[in-house]
Amino acid sequence: GSGMNHIYLGTVKKFVKENSDIILDIFKDNFKKAYGEYPNIEQLKAWESSINYLKNALDDKSIHEFTLVFEYKLPFSNERIDLLIFGENKTEPTILLFELKGWEKATKTSSPFIVDCDLGTSIHPEYQVENYAGKLRFSHSEADKFNILPAVLMYNAIPQKVNLEFKKPVFFRDDIQDFREFITDHLQKPLDSKTIDMFLNGQYIQSNKLFDAIKKHFEKIKKQSY
């Protein structure tokens, strides 16, 4: 493979000023390069609607200089994170990690990890994003240099149609102002491209944090709980 592990890297400004069809073509070409296959029709539709939403939602001068990375593949699995936004807070490099969902409605099931939505059954988006954040923190060689903050963006849904519980930040279709404020609250200035590349080139490791967590939760893990 080409060693590529994402399908788009660029500033927010570049993204919001670019034509949507061109962005979609870049996504398609790079997906093929990075993952060796063509994206399916569901994937293309999801990209199309999320691109259109984000081009509007992110078009604010206060966030133009931050860097976006779409479909970042974790270095040790086939899992991909929908969107990372890189910047710096007052003290350290920070990554906002987003699970993007185009669902219009969702309800709980008997399992806290599984939900029903208009596209069928799925993993709870918060569990997905927590899983990615945890894997980064525990098994990514560069992650401990970054503050990593997970959130969910349900860009087609209004809260009245989503009967789910969230502990982490979640943004709905009309929460553009809150979404922007979440970004500017946590990112005060852009991050240099060298530090971003360092993260993107990170390798799989088993960090000390992982062993600490296993020790701390050993009894629970023995009982096979999450």
Side-chain angles (χ1 to χ4, degrees):
S2 64
M4 195 174 185
N5 59 7
H6 55 279
I7 62 168
Y8 186 93
L9 165 66
T11 62
V12 170
K13 186 177 183 177
K14 184 179 159 207
F15 176 82
V16 300
K17 302 297 179 208
E18 188 65 270
N19 172 295
S20 296
D21 294 338
I22 291 175
I23 296 172
L24 195 59
D25 283 342
I26 294 169
F27 277 26
K28 277 194 285 206
D29 293 347
N30 286 341
F31 189 87
K32 177 80 173 75
K33 278 183 205 153
Y35 304 120
E37 57 183 29
Y38 288 103
N40 62 29
I41 191 84
E42 286 82 21
Q43 180 67 81
L44 288 172
K45 277 191 182 141
W47 284 340
E48 210 168 359
S49 62
S50 61
I51 287 167
N52 287 326
Y53 182 88
L54 287 165
K55 271 177 54 110
N56 173 44
L58 293 168
D59 195 3
D60 187 279
K61 284 211 164 47
S62 63
I63 46 187
H64 275 179
E65 301 312 311
F66 303 129
T67 300
L68 303 176
V69 170
F70 283 91
E71 298 284 345
Y72 169 72
K73 182 178 178 292
L74 295 166
F76 33 82
S77 76
N78 289 323
E79 294 172 300
R80 299 191 307 268
I81 301 172
D82 292 333
L83 172 63
L84 301 174
I85 305 182
F86 289 84
E88 233 177 303
N89 68 10
K90 292 182 181 69
T91 54
E92 62 189 330
T94 298
I95 303 172
L96 307 182
L97 190 162
F98 291 95
E99 177 66 27
L100 305 178
K101 286 286 181 245
W103 308 343
E104 288 182 18
K105 51 181 192 276
T107 50
K108 292 180 217 179
T109 66
S110 55
S111 161
F113 306 108
I114 305 294
V115 304
D116 282 325
C117 69
D118 43 310
L119 304 179
T121 308
S122 175
I123 296 172
H124 192 306
E126 182 164 275
Y127 181 64
Q128 268 178 296
V129 82
E130 280 285 20
N131 164 44
Y132 301 148
K135 284 182 176 165
L136 285 179
R137 289 187 191 116
F138 292 138
S139 336
H140 186 290
S141 60
E142 307 307 317
D144 60 357
K145 302 181 180 86
F146 294 82
N147 181 23
I148 295 169
L149 298 165
V152 175
L153 177 60
M154 303 197 73
Y155 57 85
N156 276 336
I158 55 171
Q160 294 84 335
K161 295 211 169 159
V162 177
N163 173 28
L164 301 177
E165 277 160 39
F166 289 91
K167 295 186 192 74
K168 290 282 181 267
V170 56
F171 303 98
F172 296 97
R173 186 188 71 195
D174 302 326
D175 295 341
I176 287 178
Q177 205 43 50
D178 291 344
F179 173 60
R180 288 175 180 174
E181 278 169 21
F182 174 72
I183 297 169
T184 54
D185 281 350
H186 294 291
L187 307 180
Q188 271 81 49
K189 55 182 202 270
L191 190 58
D192 63 289
S193 57
K194 199 167 136 246
T195 307
I196 294 170
D197 287 343
M198 190 181 77
F199 178 87
L200 293 175
N201 294 319
Q203 304 296 311
Y204 172 72
I205 57 153
Q206 291 177 326
S207 74
N208 291 334
K209 279 187 187 159
L210 176 64
F211 295 114
D212 293 343
I214 291 172
K215 263 189 289 207
K216 192 174 145 198
H217 299 291
F218 186 71
E219 288 305 315
K220 283 188 199 156
I221 292 167
K222 263 200 332 208
K223 297 191 184 105
Q224 292 183 320
S225 80
Y226 284 93

